[in-house]
Amino acid sequence: LDSLLQECRMLNLEERIDLSSTGGYLTVGFLDKLENGAEVKSAVIAGSLDCCLVKTSLVPDTLILAVAANKAALYEIRGCMKTRNINTELLHNLSPHTNVGTSLNTYGAAETDTSLIVCAFNKSLDHVKQIVRGEWRPLEEIKNKTDTSAIRKIHKLSDIEIQEDLVSSLVTRVATKEMNRL
C-alpha cells in the first residue's frame, strides 16, 4: 500500500495546495470510476472519514478549490464559519448560494456520482485511499468532466464569461462571495 501511495504522488494524482491565509494546506485528488460512492459519502457524513467530496462536473480547475479552501480556513480561524466544519465550509464557498443546504446539495458529491474530487485539509489523502474503490486519475483530467451548462445555470454566467475564461470568472465569484465576513 505504501508503494502505491508514493506512486500516486509521483504521477500527480494528488496535489498539495498551500493556503496562504493560514499557513495550512489542502490536498486534492481526482477519483474516477468510483464503485462505493454511497459508502464513502456515508463515512464522510458520519465523521469517520475527514475529507470533502466535491462534484467533479462543477470544478474545471483546482485554482477554484484553492480560493474556496483559503476562505474556509480563514473563516475557521476567525470563528465566522457558516457551516459546522471546514469541509462543508469549502463546499459552501464554492457555491453562489447563501443557503448552506443548497450549497452542500449543489457542490457536494452524490451517492450515485462515479467521479469526484476529494479534498483534505492539512493531511494527505492516504486515509481516503484505504476506503475508496475506484481509479485515482491525474488532476489535469478534471477539466474533461466539466459540465459547462450546469456551471452556467448555477452561477448565472454570461456567454462571454464562459467563452473567454471560465476559470477566472468562477475564481472571481468564489473570492468575492460574502466578503463582509472577512
Side-chain angles (χ1 to χ4, degrees):
L1 181 64
D2 289 334
S3 63
L4 175 65
L5 296 173
Q6 199 165 22
E7 184 179 329
C8 286
R9 287 188 200 98
M10 289 174 31
L11 295 173
N12 194 29
L13 302 181
E14 190 174 290
E15 179 180 342
R16 179 182 161 143
I17 299 170
D18 291 324
L19 304 176
S20 59
S21 62
T22 62
Y25 65 94
L26 180 76
T27 307
V28 181
F30 170 47
L31 187 61
D32 199 16
K33 299 181 183 169
L34 179 64
E35 298 171 9
N36 61 335
E39 176 187 343
V40 174
K41 184 171 180 176
S42 293
V44 169
I45 291 171
S48 60
L49 185 58
D50 183 19
C51 67
C52 180
L53 307 176
V54 183
K55 195 174 295 279
T56 307
S57 60
L58 302 178
V59 181
D61 193 276
T62 57
L63 178 58
I64 299 158
L65 293 169
V67 173
N70 259 301
K71 286 179 69 173
L74 188 60
Y75 291 160
E76 180 183 48
I77 284 176
R78 292 188 176 174
C80 61
M81 291 194 310
K82 285 205 170 179
T83 69
R84 294 183 182 166
N85 67 55
I86 195 167
N87 294 318
T88 54
E89 193 72 18
L90 170 61
L91 292 173
H92 182 59
N93 288 333
L94 287 168
S95 174
H97 305 291
T98 55
N99 179 283
V100 172
T102 303
S103 297
L104 301 183
N105 287 330
T106 302
Y107 268 85
E111 291 180 359
T112 56
D113 287 345
T114 56
S115 71
L116 49 89
I117 298 170
V118 181
C119 304
F121 284 89
N122 303 314
K123 61 176 78 172
S124 73
L125 298 178
D126 295 353
H127 65 295
V128 178
K129 291 175 182 170
Q130 294 173 2
I131 295 171
V132 297
R133 290 191 310 272
E135 269 183 43
W136 291 93
R137 305 293 305 154
L139 284 162
E140 297 80 31
E141 292 182 16
I142 64 172
K143 64 181 175 238
N144 300 332
K145 298 285 186 173
T146 303
D147 184 347
T148 307
S149 62
I151 293 171
R152 174 194 307 259
K153 182 178 177 183
I154 291 165
H155 289 276
K156 298 180 173 116
L157 297 173
S158 68
D159 289 339
I160 293 172
E161 289 175 298
I162 296 281
Q163 293 166 358
E164 288 190 3
D165 195 348
L166 175 61
V167 173
S168 292
S169 295
L170 292 174
V171 164
T172 301
R173 288 169 185 261
V174 168
T176 58
K177 177 185 175 183
E178 299 178 332
M179 286 301 295
N180 59 338
R181 277 204 285 163
L182 292 173

